[in-house]
Amino acid sequence: AETMLGKPDTAFQYYKNILPMARNDKAEILKTEPYVFCQTVSTNDSITPGEGANSWLTGTAAWMYVTATQYILGIKPTLSGLKIDPAVPTSWNGFKATRKFRNCEYEISVKRTGRYRLLLDGKEIEGNIVPPVKSGKAKVEVEIV
């Protein structure tokens, strides 16, 4: 939601706070694997406050992957093509990613330049949707504010 509201720094902070590693300093209390999401963490009113339960039985990891790739990195498949709409933290100068989509491997490079621009194989595209490429490889360069 924060990425959609244009708050990339807040979105990334929330993302990091939800990761299992955010509780590694309390691993002895949590009693679940420090790299796995668990379904519940007991509240302070519980007999076992801070203890996690039912690790490996949640779909959270899949949703966190979607959050990272489609909303923070902003590489989202759509019917029209591959939408590129990064909401990365303002401290990031950019990133590189490879995405397979409809028989094509897209090499995506995002750079913070102070303006928005999208290029597909060196040709500028209007908007933020890369039209499908028939097959093979495609180079996508994105400049962001």
Side-chain angles (χ1 to χ4, degrees):
E2 295 296 325
T3 63
M4 296 166 85
L5 292 171
K7 299 178 179 179
D9 293 320
T10 305
F12 192 61
Q13 189 59 48
Y14 287 164
Y15 184 83
K16 290 190 311 183
N17 289 346
I18 294 169
L19 291 173
M21 66 182 229
R23 292 188 183 87
N24 277 356
D25 60 335
K26 300 175 184 174
E28 295 79 26
I29 297 169
L30 191 62
K31 295 184 181 176
T32 61
E33 302 87 341
Y35 47 85
V36 177
F37 291 100
C38 57
Q39 284 183 330
T40 60
V41 177
S42 299
T43 67
N44 290 336
D45 296 328
S46 170
I47 295 172
T48 55
E51 191 172 302
N54 304 324
S55 58
W56 298 99
L57 299 176
T58 175
T60 305
W63 282 112
M64 291 296 280
Y65 176 78
V66 168
T67 300
T69 59
Q70 295 186 19
Y71 291 92
I72 294 174
L73 296 181
I75 304 169
K76 187 175 187 175
T78 70
L79 287 174
S80 305
L82 202 55
K83 182 177 181 180
I84 312 289
D85 189 20
V88 294
T90 55
S91 62
W92 290 18
N93 292 324
F95 66 91
K96 292 182 179 186
T98 301
R99 174 67 157 91
K100 291 184 180 182
F101 179 67
R102 296 185 186 161
N103 297 320
C104 183
E105 186 174 285
Y106 293 86
E107 292 191 16
I108 302 164
S109 172
V110 175
K111 244 188 254 183
R112 191 174 300 282
T113 63
R115 67 175 177 168
Y116 185 84
R117 195 164 84 137
L118 177 63
L119 293 106
L120 173 61
D121 293 328
K123 296 177 184 167
E124 192 163 352
I125 294 176
E126 289 248 350
N128 61 4
I129 299 196
V130 176
V133 175
K134 300 271 184 221
S135 65
K137 290 189 177 203
K139 184 177 180 183
V140 178
E141 297 170 84
V142 185
E143 295 179 17
I144 59 172
V145 178

